[in-house]
Amino acid sequence: MAPRNRASSRRPLWIIILIAFVCVVAIGAYLYTPRHYTSCYLVPSEACNSRPPPEPVRVYTDDEIAARAIMRDIIRARPVQSKNPKIAFMFLTPSSLPFEKLWEKFFMGHEDRYSIYVHASRDRSIHSSPIFAGRDIRSEKVIWGTISMVDAEKRLLAHALQDPENQHFVLLSESCVPLHNFDYIYSYLMETNVSFVDCFDDPGPHGAGRYSDHMLPEIVKRDWRKGAQWFTVKRQHAVLILTDTLYYGKFKRYCKPGNEWHNCYSDEHYLPTLFNMVDPTGIANWSVTHVDWSEGKWHPKAYRAVDTSFELLKNISSIDESVHVSSNAKHVAQRRPCMWNGMKRPCYLFARKFYPEALDNLMNIFSNFTII
């Protein structure tokens, strides 16, 4: 009788253990259910069914496949080795350059490390400095805000790329002045592996608001970017800009001021959008040419002779954060440190917009290009 009583007394214990095990498994399954399933357990089924489906994988056209393959190879190609690497200074101007004497002093003693190209789109340049003589390229009319501005940039790059010694390419306007001596700028540009192309995501009417569905399928809205046109690019990127016809064609047809559906300005969107799509890590996302938009007008602040002082240039040259402000009602400021080879450095090498009357003051300030 004793053994039979011990067997019957063990049955409730096994039942308790089994129930406990089932409870542990159930609790574990509930707690560790993947999040995307849990949401459907906790909300009505119709809410789960209304979740947007994943975007379909788009099939690229033949032109896109070819363009991407070419651009990929250009970006991956090893830089051309040069015994005497130079910087190409490309001036985009309507007529004569008012600061040639200042630039002549800047270039003095560095004749083997730079080249000059001038695109005068309105009137023939009359040069006051011998180093600019004979440096004009064939030019065509440029209309502000249109693709003709990009065409002029490409024309300058095409001429500058003919010299295999040119390894970095700087786009400047007639109102630009240098903020540092030549050695500083040469080192800043040549000793890094990125291009300085201004690029940011502006959700406002002057950014994303200029996008058009006509850009589809090659350019989607999430890739659309904005930035100042004044760039400096390494040789691979200069070649890439010239070879692009696919994305350039979209901008030429559908990004124009005064379009029936919206205004769009190619010089502010083409290069930022292009590099955001094909080589986003290859650009610094800021321009090394300073311009002051703090007045909130359609045009940036311009400096007359009375404004031009050592303190002004010193303040500009010491800025070490890039600032982009959205064009929507919130006017959100995006601030980022200017990182050069992993180190925080001043952002700007050049500045604009200076009136011609500021020349004498600038010549005095930069008497030896060593004080800034």
Side-chain angles (χ1 to χ4, degrees), residues 331-360:
H331 297 293
V332 177
Q334 304 174 29
R335 297 181 179 273
R336 295 174 181 168
C338 293
M339 303 301 293
W340 182 91
N341 289 350
M343 299 179 294
K344 190 174 183 180
R345 292 280 298 275
C347 303
Y348 301 113
L349 305 179
F350 313 97
R352 60 186 301 264
K353 302 178 61 169
F354 287 84
Y355 279 96
E357 67 187 53
L359 176 60
D360 290 341

Side-chain angles (χ1 to χ4, degrees), residues 304-315:
R304 294 195 172 274
V306 67
D307 305 314
T308 306
S309 64
F310 173 84
E311 288 73 21
L312 171 67
L313 300 184
K314 189 69 173 178
N315 289 339

